[in-house]
Amino acid sequence: MKVLVPVKRVIDYNVKVRVKPDGSGVETQNVKMSMNPFDEISVEEAVRMKEAGVVDEVIAVSIGPQQAQETIRTALAMGADRGILVKTDDNLEPLAVAKCLKALADKEEPGMLIVGKQAIDDDSNQTGQMTAALLGWAQATFASVIKVDGDHAQVTREVDGGLETIKVKLPVVVTSDLRLNEPRYASLPNIMKAKKKPIDVTSPEELGVDPAPRLQVLNVAEPPKRAGGTKVEDVAQLVDKLMNEAKVI
Amino acid sequence: MSVLVLAELDEKGVVPQTRNALAAAVAIGGDIHLLIAGQNVEASAKAAAQYEGVSKVLTADDAAYATGLAENVAELVKSLATDYSHVLVGATSFGKNVMPRVAALLDVQQISEITAVNDADTFVRPIYAGNALATVKSKDAIKIITVRATGFDAVAETGGSASVEAVASTGDAGLSSFVGRELTKSERPELTQAGIIVSGGRGMGSGENFSLLEALADELGAAVGASRAAVDAGFVPNDYQVGQTGKVVAPELYIAVGISGAIQHLAGMKDSKVIVAINKDEEAPIFSVADYGLVGDLFKIIPELTAEITKRKS
């Protein structure tokens, strides 16, 4: 079975993002970029499935500018076998990304797509579910355990009340949640090896996907700031404040 | 213009977040219909018919919808959606699972987790863990939207008198089946509904130590939450997690204990009315958003705080 894993290049999770003064977006120039953390978890899971003999080939896909190739290299260094760059300078929305992934899945015929449940830049949480819909496949979102069993998989999902387990038919789109695994650090020899692994380059147009956005971003603003920072001396003063000033207890 | 809101059901009936989504529908305007999909939904439908602002309750009663499987529910919503200008659902794990599937089936770009409605096609949504607010205008014929509960005050449970109408089931897609649930049992209020939340982080040191927070929570009638670090460390189950990718909460009072305040955690709680931070590290970022910060050893402070509140209450 092949597994396809999309990996997104996003502003590193440790960076405090700054909104551009003209309200057109956030500052991305000279900002550290990394692989979306949920995608790292997806790559790790796919590689572990390969190591366990459940999967034969792991393909990392990134949709973005030329630099997204670095994100693919990171996935290759973690153990993915080859990469596909869907090169575009447009900022594709989840629906367009899902259409690209559908086109690639039609071609590659993987048994599973493991997609990060959410990208930490636009926080949409849509791409996996949309891809499953377009392919007519089952979906298993917010996964914390994946067990493949013949032509099915049993997936434990993190839901609002706790955990839920479902059984899904393969091929399936799984979206990874935080507790699925702890991604490895790529070793230096593997980083060197990754440089020799192949990366195919295509484009949304070649895949027959219209990259035009459906949502027009009118403005991006900073949220109102909280006036925090006040300290109290001790427990008695804290309780006083909560009872008499804030009146919340 | 007419708005369809997809209700979410649990064992007690329609979940409260559905009424926050209804509030967003009221803000959009037009006729509001509420879709209840599940098995044996009469009682839920009857209760929901009284919700403020709802003109019609649609019921789809089928075992295929009993556990909220996305493949089945999405087909149902798709079969109804073309009669509406907007389709909304609460941004819960159920809504987030089902709605993007509906959107793709309709070739619509979903608008996730809106916190405000500017007009019928312009909405505000947080991005980058709430560090920026994007105002977006949709060009799609149907707007598919998930609603962040903290952005909208829930509509009242009574005051309306909607008609109830059954709709045709779209059946079982045959792609997935339900195996089981392990739900966290608690007598305390649910995190997203609680007026007060006591939350613990890595500083708690162990799962056993959360009993200190539970004692305080019980004294306050509060829910217990946690940071990602505490969940990852196995101190508490995943459904305790507050943050960018966990639950987003905005209680009257949020008490953060032993939580440093990573931006991913702040994303889930910074809209709380009053924030208290208790941490031994006075440089911890959590203090910058706290209305009241107390620097010190939580293992000494929390029992003292619980005792002090008990004393003042009596």
Side-chain angles (χ1 to χ4, degrees):
Chain A
M1 176 169 87
K2 277 192 213 175
V3 174
L4 209 66
V5 185
V7 293
K8 186 175 186 183
R9 182 174 181 266
V10 298
I11 295 181
D12 186 85
Y13 77 102
N14 272 319
V15 171
K16 170 100 179 75
V17 299
R18 277 199 308 274
V19 172
K20 285 186 191 166
D22 66 358
S24 64
V26 305
E27 196 55 68
T28 52
Q29 293 293 313
N30 303 316
V31 169
K32 187 185 177 202
M33 307 293 279
S34 305
M35 189 190 296
N36 178 42
F38 287 95
D39 301 343
E40 282 187 357
I41 295 172
S42 304
V43 174
E44 177 66 32
E45 193 66 15
V47 171
R48 286 187 193 186
M49 286 166 83
K50 188 182 173 193
E51 288 164 351
V54 182
V55 164
D56 316 306
E57 189 181 32
V58 178
I59 308 163
V61 180
S62 196
I63 300 165
Q66 182 59 40
Q67 296 94 312
Q69 191 164 326
E70 294 160 23
T71 312
I72 296 175
R73 289 281 172 217
T74 306
L76 298 177
M78 287 174 72
D81 298 292
R82 61 185 168 96
I84 301 172
L85 173 64
V86 182
K87 199 171 146 187
T88 174
D89 288 324
D90 293 312
N91 196 3
L92 263 57
E93 290 172 342
L95 182 63
V97 170
K99 287 177 180 175
C100 292
L101 294 175
K102 180 201 185 294
L104 290 172
D106 285 342
K107 202 168 122 201
E108 298 283 350
E109 299 182 336
M112 188 181 287
L113 254 78
I114 310 181
V115 185
K117 81 159 179 183
Q118 177 170 344
I120 60 164
D121 50 4
D122 63 14
D123 285 334
S124 285
N125 192 335
Q126 298 175 7
T127 300
Q129 297 89 315
M130 287 183 153
T131 310
L134 297 177
L135 287 163
W137 292 5
Q139 67 184 54
T141 53
F142 324 144
S144 64
V145 182
I146 307 172
K147 283 186 203 143
V148 176
D149 180 14
D151 59 351
H152 283 80
Q154 188 152 309
V155 178
T156 302
R157 310 176 52 230
E158 295 201 357
V159 295
D160 288 343
L163 296 172
E164 172 182 295
T165 303
I166 58 171
K167 193 175 164 190
V168 286
K169 224 183 202 172
L170 298 183
V172 63
V173 177
V174 179
T175 78
S176 51
D177 215 321
L178 292 170
R179 260 70 60 174
L180 184 57
N181 59 53
E182 231 175 279
R184 71 192 67 190
Y185 291 100
S187 66
L188 193 57
N190 285 342
I191 292 171
M192 299 310 289
K193 252 193 267 173
K195 292 185 177 166
K196 295 200 184 82
K197 292 181 179 173
I199 299 180
D200 286 337
V201 181
T202 179
S203 67
E205 290 75 14
E206 274 179 36
L207 297 173
V209 176
D210 175 7
R214 307 285 187 86
L215 300 180
Q216 187 188 353
V217 178
L218 301 180
N219 182 42
V220 175
E222 270 192 49
K225 281 232 177 343
R226 277 192 84 95
T230 310
K231 298 250 171 54
V232 293
E233 288 305 313
D234 54 27
V235 165
Q237 199 190 355
L238 174 62
V239 176
D240 258 345
K241 295 269 192 194
L242 291 177
M243 285 183 138
N244 304 319
E245 191 176 86
K247 298 189 170 71
V248 285
I249 59 174
Chain B
M1 204 163 60
S2 54
V3 183
L4 180 67
V5 176
L6 172 63
E8 174 179 357
L9 299 177
D10 66 10
E11 60 284 353
K12 288 181 296 235
V14 176
V15 305
Q17 288 92 332
T18 297
R19 288 185 290 112
N20 300 90
L22 282 168
V26 170
I28 290 166
D31 217 13
I32 299 171
H33 296 177
L34 181 67
L35 171 61
I36 301 188
Q39 196 174 19
N40 304 324
V41 296
E42 297 96 300
S44 298
K46 208 175 153 198
Q50 296 182 41
Y51 288 176
E52 191 189 348
V54 179
S55 68
K56 196 192 279 182
V57 173
L58 305 176
T59 59
D61 213 316
D62 191 325
Y65 307 131
T67 55
L69 291 168
E71 297 83 354
N72 300 347
V73 178
E75 281 299 333
L76 173 71
V77 178
K78 182 200 159 196
S79 75
L80 301 167
T82 43
D83 291 339
Y84 296 89
S85 56
H86 298 74
V87 183
L88 275 59
V89 70
T92 58
S93 55
F94 166 78
K96 292 190 236 187
N97 185 35
V98 172
M99 216 47 146
R101 190 168 181 107
V102 175
L105 291 174
L106 294 165
D107 194 31
V108 169
Q109 175 52 53
Q110 173 179 296
I111 309 153
S112 290
E113 303 219 22
I114 63 162
T115 54
V117 173
N118 286 8
D119 60 43
D121 43 35
T122 312
F123 309 92
V124 178
R125 58 176 305 264
I127 53 175
Y128 291 95
N131 287 301
L133 297 174
T135 304
V136 296
K137 187 181 168 94
S138 168
K139 296 177 205 163
D140 285 312
I142 306 175
K143 299 355 168 191
I144 305 279
I145 293 168
T146 66
V147 177
R148 185 174 283 192
T150 56
F152 300 88
D153 291 330
V155 301
E157 278 185 275
T158 55
S161 59
S163 57
V164 179
E165 188 182 306
V167 296
S169 168
T170 46
D172 190 338
L175 293 170
S176 59
S177 57
F178 177 79
V179 176
R181 277 190 191 130
E182 269 178 67
L183 301 184
T184 306
K185 289 200 174 53
S186 170
E187 297 300 312
R188 294 184 195 92
E190 209 271 311
L191 258 184
T192 55
Q193 303 300 316
I196 302 179
I197 294 173
V198 180
S199 231
R202 198 195 305 272
M204 294 307 297
S206 76
E208 290 74 49
N209 290 337
F210 262 74
S211 62
L212 291 174
L213 299 188
E214 287 163 3
L216 175 59
D218 290 341
E219 197 53 49
L220 292 167
V224 177
S227 69
R228 177 189 171 183
V231 178
D232 281 358
F235 298 171
V236 287
N238 63 281
D239 51 294
Y240 279 50
Q241 187 178 326
V242 171
Q244 180 183 15
T245 67
K247 285 180 180 149
V248 178
V249 298
E252 291 288 301
L253 172 61
Y254 189 92
I255 305 179
V257 184
I259 292 176
S260 63
I263 49 175
Q264 290 81 7
H265 185 73
L266 301 184
M269 46 65 81
K270 70 185 162 87
D271 291 329
S272 305
K273 192 168 159 235
V274 174
I275 297 173
V276 170
I278 298 168
N279 202 300
K280 66 178 178 198
D281 172 15
E282 63 178 315
E283 301 295 323
I286 191 78
F287 286 119
S288 69
V289 300
D291 300 281
Y292 306 110
L294 183 51
V295 180
D297 177 8
L298 70 93
F299 295 104
K300 194 168 144 277
I301 290 172
I302 297 303
E304 223 179 290
L305 180 59
T306 309
E308 183 72 18
I309 291 168
T310 314
K311 192 177 93 191
R312 300 240 191 158
K313 273 188 169 172
S314 58

